[in-house]
């Protein structure tokens, strides 16, 4: 099989944030697979981005790749033809399984490596963000595991910006009697989530023990509003959208409900937390993975009540 590779240098922070920008390819019939790697082990901030296309990319597609890397502004990358390569398999070669609490997330290449006693999910690398490789997704999995260990019980769950569907699936494994809905602004992500649900034997639908899938921007969907209030909402997006969504996400929570927020950097945590405090949300605990904190907040029983 012949494919095409576009390579750009990038910084480590740009590489870590790349998964958040996969939506720029949403309009493409065949989006590229993005692979980031450390360029030189002795220079830890120098990374590279490889974008694999199954056909020669156009100028506009090359421009989309460049747009993902701010430090490469103005660059004119070229596409290199690669013969006899399966780019999906290639993209997974560097994706080692992830252990996050009781969860074990792996690609098909590690299907036989699942440790006994773990809650395993097979998530194929490719068209949507959220394979478990990024620190934000891992942090959310650890937060879910911690809530379960604390004895929390949830019956109505929403996963906003679901990507691959992984976080909604994980919540259902922990609380199998819950109803769950997973949404994403990217229609491709919802297609991927449906595929992953089938792979992992997660039932799709509106009943308890099933996940409902919806294409939506934030809370802007009839089904998301109709199913509120929730006692658990997970949102792994970006700091800016999380701040903008604070009234909608907090408003969709029942009193006492929990909110897991990720996709922000450490220096953005104070602003994000402040936005949710104004909506009656109180910090509960946080998970920190590298520069990426995951915030867990709880809605006050009575907004505006004296402390």
């Amino acid at each position: 099989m012949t494919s095409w590779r576009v390579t750009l240098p990038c910084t480590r922070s740009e590489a870590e944030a790349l998964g958040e920008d996969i939506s720029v390819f949403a309009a493409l019939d065949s989006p590229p697979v993005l692979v980031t790697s450390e360029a030189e082990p002795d220079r830890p901030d120098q990374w590279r981005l490889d974008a694999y296309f199954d056909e020669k990319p156009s100028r506009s597609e090359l421009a989309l790749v460049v747009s993902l890397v701010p430090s490469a502004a103005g660059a004119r990358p070229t596409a290199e033809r690669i013969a006899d390569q399966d780019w999906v398999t290639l993209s997974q070669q560097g994706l080692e399984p992830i252990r996050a609490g009781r969860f074990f997330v792996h690609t098909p290449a590690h299907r036989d490596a699942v440790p006994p006693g773990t809650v395993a999910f097979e998530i194929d690398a490719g068209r949507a963000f959220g394979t478990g490789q990024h620190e934000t997704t891992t942090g959310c999995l650890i937060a879910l595991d911690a809530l379960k260990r604390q004895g929390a019980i949830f019956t109505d769950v929403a996963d906003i910006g679901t990507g691959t569907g992984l976080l909604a699936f994980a919540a259902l494994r922990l609380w199998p009697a819950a109803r769950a809905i997973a949404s994403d602004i990217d229609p491709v992500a919802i297609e991927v989530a449906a595929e992953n649900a089938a792979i992992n034997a997660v039932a799709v639908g509106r009943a308890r023990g099933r996940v409902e899938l919806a294409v939506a921007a934030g809370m802007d969907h009839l089904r998301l509003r109709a199913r509120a209030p929730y006692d658990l909402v997970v949102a792994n997006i970006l700091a800016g959208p999380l701040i903008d969504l604070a009234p909608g996400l907090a408003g969709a929570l029942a009193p006492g409900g929990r909110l897991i927020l990720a996709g922000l950097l450490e220096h953005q945590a104070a602003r994000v937390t402040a936005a949710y405090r104004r909506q009656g949300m109180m910090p509960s605990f946080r998970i920190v993975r590298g520069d990426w904190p995951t915030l867990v907040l709880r809605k006050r029983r009575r907004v505006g009540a004296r402390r």
Side-chain angles (χ1 to χ4, degrees), residues 19 105 123 128-134 137 162-167 196 236:
V105 185
I123 303 294
F129 175 66
T131 62
Q133 300 294 324
H134 197 277
T137 309
T162 191
T164 61
L166 174 60
L167 298 178
N196 287 332
N236 182 10

Side-chain angles (χ1 to χ4, degrees), residues 43-289:
R43 305 181 75 174
D45 193 51
Q46 290 195 4
W47 284 56
R48 61 181 281 177
L49 163 67
D50 290 304
Y52 292 89
F53 292 82
D54 55 10
E55 295 181 356
K56 186 176 181 179
S58 65
R59 287 185 179 180
S60 61
E61 289 170 335
L62 291 174
L64 288 177
V65 176
V66 173
S67 73
L68 297 175
V69 183
S71 63
R76 296 183 179 180
T78 58
E80 173 189 7
R81 188 172 184 174
I82 304 174
D84 301 319
Q85 293 280 357
D86 181 345
W87 51 263
V88 173
T89 300
L90 181 64
S91 73
Q92 294 174 358
Q93 288 177 352
L95 296 184
E96 293 298 319
I98 292 295
R99 185 72 182 264
R102 73 193 69 197
F103 298 108
F104 184 81
V105 185
H106 62 92
T107 64
H110 297 89
R111 191 174 291 159
D112 298 329
V114 177
T118 59
V119 178
F121 292 102
E122 181 177 308
I123 303 294
D124 205 347
R127 297 184 295 158
F129 175 66
T131 62
Q133 300 294 324
H134 197 277
E135 302 288 15
T136 59
T137 309
T138 303
C140 289
L141 290 171
I142 295 173
L144 289 169
D145 182 73
L147 288 169
K148 178 67 174 181
R149 293 182 189 280
Q150 291 173 6
I153 298 174
F154 301 113
T155 59
D156 291 281
V157 178
D159 177 11
I160 309 300
T162 191
T164 61
L166 174 60
L167 298 178
F169 304 162
L172 277 180
R173 289 289 170 84
L174 296 179
W175 299 282
R179 294 193 312 159
I181 185 167
S183 67
D184 201 288
I185 193 172
D186 183 1
V188 172
I190 294 304
E191 292 176 8
V192 170
E195 295 168 1
N196 287 332
I199 291 169
N200 291 281
V202 176
V204 175
R206 297 183 178 183
R208 296 200 174 276
R210 296 173 178 265
V211 60
E212 182 177 355
L213 302 174
V215 177
M219 295 299 297
D220 188 19
H221 192 282
L222 177 62
R223 289 297 301 161
L224 284 169
R225 295 192 296 269
R227 292 181 59 150
Y230 303 96
D231 48 19
L232 174 63
V233 173
V234 184
N236 182 10
I237 315 176
L238 286 171
L242 286 176
I243 291 172
D244 293 340
L245 288 171
L249 294 181
L253 272 171
R258 304 294 183 95
L259 179 61
I260 299 175
L261 301 178
L264 58 143
L265 289 162
E266 183 61 44
H267 72 271
Q268 300 168 323
R271 287 193 297 118
V272 173
T273 301
Y276 284 85
R277 280 185 179 273
R278 290 193 289 270
Q279 304 300 322
M281 303 294 302
M282 300 300 297
S284 184
F285 63 91
R286 64 164 59 190
I287 306 293
V288 179
R289 303 276 301 181

